[in-house]
Every structure is written in C-alpha cells, then in structure tokens.
C-alpha cells in the first residue's frame, strides 16, 4: 500500500485554522452524526446545477429535488429546502435560458503532486486532489466555474471572493493536469431567499390576537379571522415573485494572478511540513479562537469540550473516510454524509 496521502485543500485549510480539527477529521475520520442544514442545501443546489448544465432539462432538476426531499411531508427542514430549491432552480433556468459560456467539463476531479517550490521536488507523503464545479469557455478563453449560494450579495461579499485561495490553487492544478490555460474564475452566485412559509395561527394565538383587537375596538366587535397556514402553491408564488428580482443571481469574473499562485504553493508546502511534524510528535494543538468562527460552534465543539470523551464520540460522531467531496455524484446517488 502506498504511504502517500491524497489530500484536499479543505484539509490544509482546516489544519491551518485548527490542527485539532484536522486531526479529528482526517486522521480519526470523525464527523458529526447530525449534519449542518446549510451543507445539505448547498450540496443539493450543486447537484441541481450540475444536472441543469449537463442536460438543460428543468424537469430532471425538479425531479432530483423531489427525490432528495422525499420526506418533506413529515420533515420541516426538507420541506423548507424543497420550496427554496424548487423556486431557485425554476428562476435560474428562466434567467439563464441562454448561456454566455460553453461547458467544457462538469464536476471535474484532478489530482497532482505537491511540489517544494525551493527544489521543484514532489512530496512523497502527500498529493493534492480536488474537484471543480466546471470548466467553461467564454470567447475562446477558459474559466473555472464555481457555484456559490449566499444569503446576500454586497460589495463585502464580492471583495471576499479574492480570499478564495482554494479555487485559485485548483485552477492551476486543472491547468497542469488538463493542459489548458485557465484565464480566471467565473463565480455563479445564487441568493437564498429568506422568506418563510407562514404556518398560520394556532387557536391560542388567534384567541390572544382577537382579545387584543376587542380590547382596542370602540364598538366591542371585530371581524378578525384565524389566519390559515400558507398553502404550498401560495408560498411558491411568493418565492417566484422574489426570484423575479435580477439581484437574486449574480455572475462575477475574477482573473487569475500568477504571483498569488506562487504564494499559495509555498504556503501549501509549509503546511505539509508542519503536518508531518505534528503527526510525528502526535501533537495537534487546539486553536480555541476558532471554535465559533462561523457564528456557530465548530462541529467538534462537543468533543473538545468533553476532552475527547469516548461516550461523546459514540453518541454524536461517526467515522467516514475523508475527501468525500471528490466523489462525483451521479443523479440518484445517495447523498454525502458531510
Ligand atoms: S472545537 Fe475549537 S479547538 Fe476543537 S477542533 Fe473545533 S476549533 Fe478546534
């Protein structure tokens, strides 16, 4: 068996942010049993976009959403995802009925050496693999297609795209492994509407509102009626109105900087050396300033807080091989666990 470990940028980024998190995910192969809902929705939309750009058949996309949210009658989270994904993809198909680009490849997986920039030698311990959402051609130039779902698009959001080093690095690997010059990145951003389906009023809520209205009424009467739950059709209509706003979709082109790539390559090499050292000494320290970095607890918070208690692992975590993102999802394939 080869001693070379196939790694992704996600692993190196996690190692840079918190070495303990990288150890838990990539050496102990632990992930939380309960999956982050945002990740579920993001991967659903990625699958939808892959199908749309491959087949350009909206019914196949809607069919996938139906299957991925098959338990929506009982599961509120699935119902929310179904509504949002359905409205988003209907509007996307309408908005981009004519495309500015030609698709060269979709869900393209690559693998290449990690090179020491000082000597040009390849690492014998690690290789880098990754997957890009697509490669497209615009006016004879090649771009990496990168899908994003966002809560809102503003100037801060667009500025932050510059810090997306992963895709810059991946672009250069694609260039090397496919032998085509990559000019830049085409970000395809879809905004998540914040609308909620109204649940209507409970008997108690209606009673309280009615009593309040009666107290304020000069006649001692009110015509208030109990608010009914919003039907699926009405909610889809409201979402469709929201998605008619052109600001719900955005395309942004960023051009690649060769200098930036040299910096990233050096940084990646440094990370490999630090990882080897940590693994040899068995020391992966915790960066506790990162525990709440994304306005929510790190997926390993429960484990770190319990000092690695085996009962916590047994009840809240499962072991799943890393680099799941490299798997190319076929329509109908089971959903990734993380
Ligand atoms: S909870 Fe904090 S210390 Fe523990 S792995 Fe996550 S970021 Fe690191």
């Amino acid at each position: 068996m080869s001693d070379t470990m196939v790694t992704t940028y996600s692993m190196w980024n996690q190692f840079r942010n918190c070495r303990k998190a990288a150890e838990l995910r990539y050496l102990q192969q632990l992930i939380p049993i309960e999956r982050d809902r945002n990740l579920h929705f993001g991967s659903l939309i990625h699958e939808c976009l892959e199908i749309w750009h491959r087949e350009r058949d909206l019914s196949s996309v809607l069919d996938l959403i139906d299957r991925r949210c098959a338990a929506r009658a009982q599961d509120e989270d699935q119902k929310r995802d179904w509504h949002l994904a359905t409205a988003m993809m209907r509007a996307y198909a309408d908005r981009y009925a004519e495309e500015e680009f030609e698709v060269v490849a979709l869900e393209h997986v690559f693998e290449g050496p990690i090179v020491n920039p000082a000597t040009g030698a390849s690492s014998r311990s690690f290789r880098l693999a990754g997957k890009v959402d697509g490669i497209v051609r615009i006016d004879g130039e090649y771009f990496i297609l990168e899908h994003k779902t966002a809560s809102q698009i503003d100037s801060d959001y667009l500025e932050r795209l510059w810090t997306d080093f992963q895709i810059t690095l991946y672009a250069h690997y694609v260039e090397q492994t496919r032998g085509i010059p990559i000019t830049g990145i085409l970000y395809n951003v879809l905004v998540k509407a914040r609308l909620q389906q109204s649940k209507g009023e409970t008997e108690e809520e209606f009673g309280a509102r009615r009593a309040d209205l009666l107290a304020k009424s000069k006649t001692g009467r009110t015509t208030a009626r109990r608010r009914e739950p919003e039907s699926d059709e009405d909610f889809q209509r409201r979402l469709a109105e929201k998605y008619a706003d052109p600001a719900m979709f955005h395309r942004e082109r960023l051009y690649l900087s060769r200098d930036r790539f040299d910096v990233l390559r050096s940084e990646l090499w440094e990370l490999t050396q630090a990882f080897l050292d940590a693994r040899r000494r068995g020391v992966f320290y915790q960066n506790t300033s990162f525990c709440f970095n994304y306005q929510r607890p790190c997926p390993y918070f429960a484990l770190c807080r319990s000092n690695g208690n085996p009962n916590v692992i047994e009840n809240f975590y499962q072991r799943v091989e890393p680099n799941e993102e490299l798997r190319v999802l076929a329509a109908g394939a089971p959903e990734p666990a993380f």
Side-chain angles (χ1 to χ4, degrees):
M1 202 177 98
S2 163
D3 287 338
T4 307
M5 185 176 176
V6 176
T7 64
T8 59
Y9 188 80
S10 306
M11 171 178 136
W12 296 114
N13 198 35
Q14 197 163 37
F15 179 70
R16 186 173 52 179
N17 294 336
C18 176
R19 293 183 175 201
K20 177 53 75 180
E23 188 216 358
L24 292 170
R25 177 66 192 103
Y26 294 94
L27 295 182
Q28 295 200 38
Q29 307 197 340
L30 292 173
I31 63 166
I33 290 171
E34 198 161 309
R35 195 160 169 254
D36 186 331
R37 269 204 66 236
N38 289 323
L39 290 175
H40 174 271
F41 185 75
S43 60
L44 172 61
I45 291 300
H46 268 73
E47 280 187 80
C48 289
L49 289 168
E50 184 198 349
I51 292 180
W52 169 252
H53 286 291
R54 196 182 296 287
E55 302 175 16
R56 299 197 61 88
D57 175 10
L58 183 59
S59 61
S60 301
V61 174
L62 298 180
D63 184 51
L64 174 85
I65 299 170
D66 287 352
R67 282 187 283 118
R68 286 284 181 263
C69 303
R72 60 190 176 280
Q74 309 85 38
D75 184 323
E76 278 299 311
D77 288 343
Q78 283 201 14
K79 190 172 182 190
R80 214 172 303 140
D81 286 352
W82 180 87
H83 270 299
L84 189 52
T86 300
M88 189 184 254
M89 290 310 301
R90 277 186 198 280
Y92 184 89
D94 194 40
R95 168 75 184 270
Y96 298 111
E98 298 291 327
E99 270 302 357
E100 59 177 321
F101 55 72
E102 182 191 331
V103 173
V104 175
L106 291 170
E107 299 292 309
H108 174 69
V109 177
F110 65 83
E111 187 182 318
I114 297 180
V115 175
N116 179 349
T119 63
S122 297
S123 169
R124 280 175 292 155
S125 304
F126 306 106
R127 287 174 68 77
L128 188 80
K131 187 167 71 170
V132 292
D133 295 331
I135 305 169
V136 297
R137 192 163 35 220
I138 306 173
D139 300 330
E141 292 184 312
Y142 293 94
F143 286 78
I144 298 293
L145 177 66
E146 171 78 350
H147 305 309
K148 298 259 183 210
T149 52
S151 304
Q152 64 179 56
I153 305 172
D154 52 20
S155 55
D156 279 358
Y157 180 88
L158 296 175
E159 277 291 305
R160 272 202 306 276
L161 291 178
W162 175 83
T163 66
D164 187 1
F165 297 150
Q166 170 175 322
I167 198 71
T168 307
L169 197 59
Y170 280 14
H172 285 273
Y173 269 86
V174 169
E175 200 167 67
Q176 285 169 0
T177 54
R178 271 195 84 116
I180 49 175
I182 302 291
T183 302
I185 318 295
L186 175 65
Y187 286 97
N188 179 35
V189 191
L190 297 83
V191 179
K192 291 184 278 184
R194 292 188 195 165
L195 303 181
Q196 301 282 339
Q197 186 171 19
S198 169
K199 290 185 171 21
E201 281 175 314
T202 62
E203 199 63 63
E204 293 74 38
E205 285 166 343
F206 174 58
R209 184 167 66 87
R210 189 165 181 277
D212 200 33
L213 288 169
L214 284 172
K216 290 179 191 154
S217 165
K218 289 188 182 132
T219 62
R221 279 179 294 184
T222 172
T223 55
R225 287 166 187 265
R226 184 172 161 190
R227 289 187 191 124
E228 296 293 326
E230 184 175 23
S231 70
D232 288 345
E233 292 72 26
D234 285 348
F235 187 43
Q236 275 298 310
R237 239 188 314 275
R238 210 152 55 85
L239 282 166
E241 281 166 20
K242 181 74 187 165
Y243 275 106
D245 179 352
M248 298 301 277
F249 300 105
H250 182 79
R251 296 262 171 98
E252 182 81 10
R253 282 190 215 178
L254 278 191
Y255 290 86
L256 281 180
S257 147
R258 306 286 144 176
D259 296 346
R260 169 63 42 198
F261 175 57
D262 290 342
V263 171
L264 292 175
R265 220 162 52 135
S266 301
E267 187 184 292
L268 183 59
W269 182 259
E270 285 306 314
L271 288 168
T272 64
Q273 301 310 293
F275 191 95
L276 285 174
D277 183 53
R279 193 168 64 179
R280 186 171 43 77
R281 292 187 296 119
V283 178
F284 289 84
Y285 56 74
Q286 300 179 331
N287 177 11
T288 49
S289 61
F290 221 79
C291 301
F292 288 88
N293 194 57
Y294 300 107
Q295 284 78 48
R296 59 178 184 270
C298 158
Y300 299 109
F301 189 72
L303 192 50
C304 286
R305 196 172 52 182
S306 74
N307 284 325
N309 185 329
N311 290 334
V312 174
I313 295 182
E314 194 164 320
N315 289 316
F316 299 105
Y317 294 87
Q318 56 185 328
R319 292 189 198 272
V320 173
E321 280 189 24
N323 307 340
E324 278 200 310
E325 64 266 42
L326 299 181
R327 216 151 42 87
V328 178
L329 287 164
E335 195 179 301
F338 189 52

